[in-house]
Amino acid sequence: MPQTECLRVENLVVRYSDELILDDISFSVNRGEIFIIMGGSGSGKSTLLRHMVGLEMPASGHVYIRGTNISSTDEQTFINLLKKIGVLFQGSALIGSMSVGENVALPIIEHLKIDSRLIPQIVRMKLSMVGLACFEQYLPSEISGGMKKRAGLARAMALNPEILFLDEPSAGLDPGTAAGIDELILHINRTLGTTIVIVTHDLDSIFTVGNRAIMLDINSKKIIAQGDPRTLRDSHDNPIVSNFFMRKSIHDS
């Protein structure tokens, strides 16, 4: 069965003032897959994600979501496209003065024209999906780091997005909690068919959830490897790629 492209990055160039950050980045993401953006610290992974969701505009090149160029479309089309995606930011980005339930309800209130009496029910459903059914009234300061990630994920899923973008979802978590986040990502992908794009340098997560991956290089500013992460680990001849994957065996030895 042919794969359907849902997202494409084409010849993307990112500059901050005179500094080149990313150079001629091109790849596509297929509907229903878990796609990994990997690389060492400072290689531009999170920068690429911000451009993919329209938070920043490139120096040149294009990002297409569902065939629409997000950098040249009109404002209303762009707003409608944003309703089709969800984003989990690196620090979860929950609003500290609002309860977990209120954080999840916020995009529903802002973007959906539904009976307000239905919103608590939707919030409870989203929190239940991420294992936080009993934490609706808690403030972000009252829950653990892993629970904040789950709450941020529930908020990202509030509008039933076609594509989820996750920026370092396991960063700062202990191995057990990180593994739980990986299991949740797989569950969402398999049960809902959600396309998921993940920025990470966590090797365990990469091999557990990733279908395909690209690797960014801090020196060339380009993609230096792409494909199944297991194949890249086992057979890629670029020493930068090999050294990236060797970190796990070095750490475990």
Side-chain angles (χ1 to χ4, degrees), residues 96-136:
S97 60
M98 299 174 69
S99 71
V100 167
E102 289 170 335
N103 269 277
V104 176
L106 188 59
I108 301 171
I109 294 168
E110 289 291 321
H111 297 293
L112 296 185
K113 295 179 180 179
I114 62 172
D115 189 329
S116 61
R117 291 172 294 182
L118 296 175
I119 294 176
Q121 181 180 343
I122 296 172
V123 169
R124 285 192 293 271
M125 179 179 68
K126 298 300 179 182
L127 288 174
S128 180
M129 288 177 66
V130 300
L132 292 179
C134 299
F135 291 88
E136 186 178 344

Side-chain angles (χ1 to χ4, degrees), residues 28-30 33-37 210-214 226-229:
S28 62
V29 178
N30 296 318
E33 75 176 334
I34 301 178
F35 188 89
I36 305 292
I37 300 171
N211 301 133
R212 283 195 305 133
I214 59 170
Q226 55 184 311
D228 186 309

Side-chain angles (χ1 to χ4, degrees), residues 7-14 25 48-79 81-82 85:
L7 187 151
R8 183 169 81 257
V9 176
E10 192 174 272
N11 306 120
L12 190 78
V13 176
V14 175
I25 303 297
L48 176 56
L49 184 142
R50 289 196 299 272
H51 283 77
M52 292 170 70
V53 301
L55 288 176
E56 298 180 15
M57 292 294 114
S60 62
H62 309 284
V63 175
Y64 296 87
I65 296 178
R66 303 175 77 211
T68 299
N69 187 342
I70 66 172
S71 60
S72 63
T73 191
D74 62 90
E75 183 178 1
Q76 188 56 53
T77 301
F78 179 63
I79 290 171
L81 275 175
L82 290 182
I85 69 174

